[in-house]
Amino acid sequence: MSSAEPTQHAALDHFPVVDDCLQVGGEPLTRLAERAGGTPFYLYDRALLDARVAELRSSLPADISLHYAVKANPMPALVAHLASRVDGMDLASEQEMRLALDAGVPAHRLSFAGPGKRPAELRAAVAAGVTIILESLGELERVGAIAEALGWRARVGVRVNPDFELKASGMKMGGGPRVFGIDAESVPAALARIGELDLEFRGLHIYTGSQNLSADAIINAQHRIVALALELAEHAPTPPAFLNIGGGFGIPYFAGETPLSLAPIGEALTQRVQEVHDRLGPTEIIVELGRYLVGEAGLYVAGVVDRKISRDHPFLVADGGLHHHLAASGNFGQVIRKNYPVVVGNRFRGNERETVTVTGPLCTPLDLIADRVSMARAEPGDLIAVYQSGAYGLTASPTGFLSHPPPGEMLVG
Ligand SMILES: *Cc1c(COP(=O)(O)O)cnc(C)c1O
């Protein structure tokens, strides 16, 4: 038997606590709940978004470009806020493209990736002048035909499915047979075809996975990505304007996880930048991040509707849950369910504490917010706050399931 302390979540100190109430953007959570017109709702903090961008800028080499992967959180005000703070955005649908263009990101700073882009999406992207990241040889031919029919030169990049995997990654998206990207061994032929079709070749995109908390694993992947990109770039019709080397930077969600160290990644990248500039000249190197930029800046807040004791175990039933925040319920690809960091936002420490299970209102045992967590004792009307909720929250959730109303969203501070 271990005598160690029970495993804890990483320090939750990015939202201050005043009079035992969480503060977001300088306002108490209770007041924000009134401003939201009631629970449940998502809250995102502008200052935390800015702090995260600043941290990345100071840790990574100055000539690394920072892109935002819009699918992590497409709230229009948040996308508009980030538009002037990052160097570009990566899109995964036509709707995300419109959002980013409306937010003022210039088309040449946008790239549109993702498998199965429909012909109408490709036409819209060609018309907008957005770089289409080709995911297959078939898509390459479709873009060639569309560009010819429309009479505009299409900007394209090639997503490469590398012949290696990112170790210790939460979600693997490269190596082996994949729906994402063109297999590395077929990329030289694809690049030649881009030249034949007279498409405007912009660059290579190599993305190997997501939610990685190991700096060593990320450094190793970036090393191999750059080596592969330099090799493939020799087959390009023109030197690549950019190399998108992916991201995969993770944030700590669960007990025992520790934050990623940026400093060693920054140091290693300095060498990669040098290698690329020595071989290719002024090629832009892009790191694309979703979750790392926005995940920690967000809270999901649900109100307690009922408190009940079942066979001695206390339950809190909240007005939000799985249908708004699938990931926190443990049903967004997790193999083993673990609790997100959760507190009673208006009784941060509380006078009395208890071990309690917090559920949502849906008629399914999957609708869990937190199972057997230690929290301040809460009553109906209190506010349950789920940390690490700024990425893959609302738009990664089945809001139609059981037909409850959707949550609000506010960007504050
Ligand atoms: C989803 C995705 C991202 C963002 O991943 P995060 O884990 O949120 O940083 C970046 N690039 C591509 C190609 C993606 O599919």
Side-chain angles (χ1 to χ4, degrees):
M1 267 232 290
S2 160
S3 59
E5 289 281 300
T7 323
Q8 298 286 317
H9 279 102
L12 302 174
D13 51 11
H14 45 295
F15 296 104
V17 177
V18 176
D19 295 335
D20 215 27
C21 184
L22 273 185
Q23 312 283 305
V24 183
E27 299 275 354
L29 196 62
T30 43
R31 184 162 181 161
L32 291 166
E34 292 298 333
R35 172 172 149 187
T39 52
F41 58 94
Y42 276 94
L43 266 183
Y44 315 115
D45 185 330
R46 285 191 180 88
L48 288 180
L49 296 172
D50 293 352
R52 193 35 74 90
V53 171
E55 205 181 327
L56 284 158
R57 296 284 189 203
S58 69
S59 306
L60 304 184
D63 41 8
I64 288 282
S65 290
L66 205 56
H67 275 206
Y68 176 51
V70 174
K71 77 170 190 282
N73 188 331
M75 185 209 193
L78 180 145
V79 172
H81 183 78
L82 285 177
S84 59
R85 287 162 174 82
V86 298
D87 304 303
M89 294 197 186
D90 294 317
L91 317 166
S93 69
E94 187 180 345
Q95 177 60 21
E96 288 186 5
M97 179 180 90
R98 298 195 192 297
L99 257 173
L101 290 168
D102 286 349
V105 186
H108 70 275
R109 299 255 133 231
L110 293 173
S111 63
F112 183 179
K117 294 189 261 324
R118 289 171 285 112
E121 291 181 294
L122 294 173
R123 291 172 76 96
V126 171
V130 162
T131 299
I132 298 169
I133 304 295
L134 301 168
E135 300 268 358
S136 76
L137 300 172
E139 190 166 82
L140 165 49
E141 295 302 325
R142 284 191 286 281
V143 171
I146 286 168
E148 194 179 0
L150 294 176
W152 298 308
R153 207 163 171 234
R155 291 182 168 143
V156 297
V158 171
R159 171 117 171 236
V160 181
N161 176 26
D163 36 16
F164 54 86
E165 284 189 352
L166 177 57
K167 285 203 200 88
S169 171
M171 213 181 289
K172 292 192 176 62
M173 294 175 74
R178 295 282 163 186
V179 74
F180 307 109
I182 297 175
D183 294 341
E185 54 278 23
S186 303
V187 168
L191 292 169
R193 187 69 182 138
I194 287 171
E196 278 167 30
L197 292 172
D198 196 31
L199 303 174
E200 184 184 338
F201 175 66
R202 301 287 303 161
L204 296 168
H205 180 173
I206 309 184
Y207 179 76
T208 54
S210 179
Q211 181 47 23
N212 201 316
L213 288 171
S214 160
D216 283 348
I218 291 172
I219 289 167
N220 178 41
Q222 288 177 339
H223 194 102
R224 300 178 72 175
I225 285 167
V226 167
L228 177 59
L230 289 175
E231 199 183 303
L232 294 174
E234 293 185 6
H235 302 272
T238 51
F242 70 77
L243 295 181
N244 183 325
I245 63 169
F249 297 10
I251 61 171
Y253 286 100
F254 307 121
E257 291 184 339
T258 46
L260 180 66
S261 319
L262 285 183
I265 298 174
E267 270 168 47
L269 268 181
T270 305
Q271 261 174 286
R272 303 287 90 75
V273 170
Q274 195 58 52
E275 285 161 19
V276 170
H277 289 171
D278 287 350
R279 286 275 289 279
L280 298 176
T283 296
E284 179 183 11
I285 303 175
I286 298 168
V287 168
E288 62 171 325
L289 301 169
R291 171 191 331 264
Y292 194 78
L293 277 170
V294 298
E296 300 198 296
L299 287 178
Y300 174 61
V301 182
V304 177
V305 176
D306 196 12
R307 172 186 173 85
K308 65 179 275 187
I309 309 288
S310 171
R311 311 228 155 92
D312 293 335
H313 185 73
F315 287 87
L316 298 171
V317 185
D319 56 12
L322 170 156
H323 52 315
H324 301 158
H325 200 336
L326 188 66
S329 78
N331 295 293
F332 190 54
Q334 295 97 328
V335 179
I336 300 169
R337 189 190 178 284
K338 294 178 192 155
N339 293 318
Y340 269 46
V342 173
V343 298
V344 184
N346 58 316
R347 299 177 197 269
F348 192 80
R349 277 168 218 89
N351 300 324
E352 210 185 312
R353 299 192 65 89
E354 67 180 356
T355 296
V356 62
T357 296
V358 187
T359 77
L362 306 189
C363 299
T364 161
L366 299 177
D367 191 10
L368 275 176
I369 295 176
D371 193 20
R372 290 161 205 272
V373 283
S374 167
M375 291 196 318
R377 184 190 155 107
E379 298 290 342
D382 283 339
L383 303 171
I384 303 293
V386 183
Y387 284 76
Q388 312 298 71
S389 297
Y392 305 109
L394 180 54
T395 61
S397 301
T399 47
F401 188 39
L402 271 83
S403 307
H404 285 278
E409 280 188 293
M410 296 195 296
L411 178 63
V412 300

